[in-house]
Amino acid sequence: MNDELLVVRCQLGEREAFTELVGLWHVPVWTFVRRMLDAERADDVVQEIWVAVLRSLPRLADPSRFAPWLFTIARRTVLDRLCREYTVTETPGGATETPTEDLAEEVADRTDLIAALASLPTLEREILILFYLEDLSIADCAQICEVPAGTVKSRLYRARRLLREHLAEKGCQP
């Protein structure tokens, strides 16, 4: 069943439709949030996202735009969490994974890539995640981030450059 039909069913009050919608979109949303935060915080934020979706779904005017709408809510929720934590602790949080000696070279490369991605500024990291890992179009990324498409393109360019530089410093070949 497509997302648009599920959204309309949810707007009509069908609980089973919402359960199906969560089933379809939970992993992509959690993955997006996990790439922005650590795993422990990701679970809490994803719960907040689904509560916000449940409350706001009746007001979604165009059910065919569910995915960008959902990721907009996810983005705002992540940024709200980061802002709250920053104002409380005044230091940005973030876990960096370090490879152990026994891991294969592929795992080490993946860990380097994850660490490099985590080292990017938030705006560039979220664009890379949305565009490459969530496979959203530039137009959808622009809608989610509430910026023009040109800004998305420039952030992608800057993010790729920063990622390439970080990996080169670590001795990895891009």
Side-chain angles (χ1 to χ4, degrees):
M1 183 170 298
N2 69 24
D3 295 340
E4 191 172 349
L5 183 57
L6 281 174
V7 169
V8 170
R9 287 178 50 209
C10 288
Q11 290 175 327
L12 294 172
E14 289 186 34
R15 289 178 184 230
E16 300 82 25
F18 186 73
T19 302
E20 288 181 48
L21 204 58
V22 171
L24 284 173
W25 285 97
H26 181 76
V27 171
V29 168
W30 188 87
T31 303
F32 170 74
V33 173
R34 173 58 183 97
R35 289 175 175 145
M36 297 298 290
L37 304 169
D38 60 63
E40 188 175 303
R41 293 185 299 169
D43 291 334
D44 292 338
V45 170
V46 169
Q47 276 189 324
E48 292 175 31
I49 291 166
W50 285 115
V51 169
V53 167
L54 183 60
R55 289 181 179 156
S56 303
L57 199 56
R59 294 186 302 273
L60 177 60
D62 185 2
S64 67
R65 302 296 297 161
F66 176 74
W69 177 81
L70 174 62
F71 280 102
T72 299
I73 291 173
R75 174 183 181 264
R76 287 181 181 159
T77 307
V78 167
L79 292 177
D80 286 348
R81 173 63 67 97
L82 289 172
C83 286
R84 277 196 316 263
E85 290 175 0
Y86 182 77
T87 57
V88 170
T89 63
E90 296 187 8
T91 57
T96 305
E97 298 177 20
T98 56
T100 61
E101 296 174 15
D102 297 334
L103 292 178
E105 189 174 316
E106 286 181 28
V107 175
D109 289 345
R110 179 174 164 83
T111 303
D112 288 341
L113 183 59
I114 290 169
L117 190 59
S119 73
L120 292 176
T122 303
L123 296 175
E124 285 74 14
R125 182 177 46 201
E126 78 180 348
I127 289 294
L128 273 180
I129 291 169
L130 290 170
F131 186 74
Y132 287 109
L133 303 177
E134 297 301 332
D135 201 27
L136 294 173
S137 68
I138 287 180
D140 286 344
C141 292
Q143 181 182 356
I144 291 166
C145 295
E146 298 175 335
V147 296
T151 303
V152 170
K153 290 176 185 178
S154 65
R155 286 182 186 171
L156 275 171
Y157 175 79
R158 182 168 186 262
R160 285 187 213 112
R161 183 177 48 81
L162 290 170
L163 192 59
R164 193 175 313 117
E165 289 171 2
H166 183 81
L167 291 173
E169 287 175 9
K170 297 287 185 182
C172 298
Q173 295 182 4

